[in-house]
Amino acid sequence: MECLALTTPPDTPARRRFTSEETAGLAFGVSGFLIWGLTPLYFKALGALPATEITAHRFVWSLVFMVIVMTAGRQWPAVARAVCDRRVVAILFATALLIGVNWWVFIHAVLTDRIVAASIGYFMNPMVSVLLGFVILRERLSPLQWGAVALAACGVLTQVVAYGSVPWITLVLAFTFATYGLIRKTAPVSASSGLLIETALLLPVALGVLVWMEIAGTGAFGSRGPGFAALLAFAGIATGLPLLLYSAGARRIKLATIGLLQYIAPSGNLLLAVSVFGEPFTRIEALTFAFIWSALVLYTLEIWRTRIV
């Protein structure tokens, strides 16, 4: 590789193709995380629907969207191979449960004006992933990683001491998403195939919830006009599209770069919470974020030290 780098002129076609791929990957990645950062706008638009109903619709319409995508991309052979492997199916069932809990808690946070707490959870995700790697995979942590974990813990303790309660939304979102990532990477299946199978595995539960609500007369689909029904169905695009963009970006740029881009989504959530939805940002929240962002600085330094140089 070093010889190639020395003997290949910077303006050769090979070099231009590499730069084009990097640029496209960055655009895909940023777009995906921006959409995730703006999702509170979508869930707020659904009004007073319960989080359980919205989560059920999210599973149903995500599956519909992914079926269309996989058919258009002729990716069904990959899905068939994954489904024939019992180990993969078991892993994806576990990750489906985790992502279901994560989706429900995030939607609940949006509907109850707790988006700031949700954003803290997603900012904490990298540090929780590092901690899980130490506890479960017995990975050795560097001093910078230990420092990041300690600072994140201080941020959580700040909330506990100030409010006298455990910030459960923050912790559940951080740990379910980090655990999801830890388990999900053990399944040899693409992100798109994985999402399709995950949503299919929990489809009976999602449909059962929606049918029960319709029978009880509390279901919103079809009772508020075709426009609102279309808005509910849009959950499939809102869920699947950013995942596809993320996957396309991850294939083209370094993992370290993707790791840095992931801060876009919780940053967008935080800005919306404070500037659009008027959630309070007190000194306690400021102190909590000071700890979390300091932890992110250490985490980012460690990424650049170990993965880029």
Side-chain angles (χ1 to χ4, degrees), residues 99-295:
I99 204 62
V101 172
N102 188 274
W103 284 358
W104 185 91
V105 173
F106 180 75
I107 294 169
H108 172 76
V110 172
L111 300 180
T112 57
D113 300 322
R114 302 288 302 279
I115 304 175
V116 171
S119 68
I120 296 175
Y122 286 120
F123 274 122
M124 282 182 56
N125 175 64
M127 279 70 71
V128 175
S129 295
V130 168
L131 182 61
L132 290 178
F134 171 74
V135 174
I136 298 176
L137 303 180
R138 303 300 181 184
E139 295 177 348
R140 296 182 61 183
L141 302 188
S142 69
L144 286 179
Q145 288 174 323
W146 275 119
V149 171
L151 286 170
C154 289
V156 173
L157 288 175
T158 299
Q159 297 273 306
V160 173
V161 172
Y163 298 121
S165 61
V166 175
W168 69 271
I169 289 177
T170 296
L171 293 177
V172 170
L173 288 176
F175 276 89
T176 54
F177 198 66
T179 307
Y180 173 86
L182 178 67
I183 299 176
R184 181 67 174 75
K185 71 178 184 178
T186 64
V189 62
S190 68
S192 54
S193 297
L195 178 62
L196 184 145
I197 297 170
E198 286 168 342
T199 52
L201 287 171
L202 290 192
L203 180 65
V205 177
L207 286 177
V209 168
L210 296 178
V211 169
W212 178 80
M213 287 186 165
E214 291 298 328
I215 294 175
T218 59
F221 191 79
S223 64
R224 302 191 184 186
F228 194 80
L231 187 63
L232 281 172
F234 185 75
I237 298 176
T239 301
L241 180 59
L243 179 71
L244 295 177
L245 290 169
Y246 165 80
S247 300
R251 288 195 299 267
R252 292 171 171 83
I253 57 180
K254 294 179 180 179
L255 181 62
T257 305
I258 284 289
L260 299 180
L261 292 182
Q262 71 178 313
Y263 305 147
I264 294 175
S267 296
N269 294 165
L270 178 62
L271 288 174
L272 286 176
V274 177
S275 62
V276 177
F277 302 124
E279 290 191 21
F281 192 80
T282 65
R283 292 180 179 178
I284 299 302
E285 277 70 36
L287 182 59
T288 298
F289 271 103
F291 281 119
I292 299 299
W293 284 329
S294 296

Side-chain angles (χ1 to χ4, degrees), residues 1-166:
M1 291 298 291
E2 290 182 359
C3 293
L4 181 63
L6 289 173
T7 58
T8 302
D11 58 347
T12 60
R15 179 61 180 175
R16 284 198 298 271
R17 285 196 297 270
F18 175 78
T19 303
S20 176
E21 281 288 286
E22 289 271 317
T23 302
L26 191 62
F28 286 136
V30 170
S31 298
F33 283 111
L34 280 176
I35 293 174
W36 275 321
L38 296 174
T39 50
L41 293 172
Y42 169 69
F43 293 123
K44 284 285 190 181
L46 294 176
L49 293 187
T52 301
E53 184 174 6
I54 297 175
T55 303
H57 274 290
R58 193 173 185 183
F59 269 97
V60 172
W61 296 112
S62 294
L63 177 59
V64 173
F65 177 74
M66 293 310 301
V67 166
I68 295 172
V69 169
M70 302 302 278
T71 301
R74 300 180 179 179
Q75 300 181 53
W76 286 108
V79 177
R81 287 193 297 271
V83 171
C84 290
D85 190 327
R86 292 184 179 180
R87 176 179 174 274
V88 171
V89 173
I91 291 172
L92 292 178
F93 182 73
T95 56
L97 293 175
L98 286 168
I99 204 62
V101 172
N102 188 274
W103 284 358
W104 185 91
V105 173
F106 180 75
I107 294 169
H108 172 76
V110 172
L111 300 180
T112 57
D113 300 322
R114 302 288 302 279
I115 304 175
V116 171
S119 68
I120 296 175
Y122 286 120
F123 274 122
M124 282 182 56
N125 175 64
M127 279 70 71
V128 175
S129 295
V130 168
L131 182 61
L132 290 178
F134 171 74
V135 174
I136 298 176
L137 303 180
R138 303 300 181 184
E139 295 177 348
R140 296 182 61 183
L141 302 188
S142 69
L144 286 179
Q145 288 174 323
W146 275 119
V149 171
L151 286 170
C154 289
V156 173
L157 288 175
T158 299
Q159 297 273 306
V160 173
V161 172
Y163 298 121
S165 61
V166 175

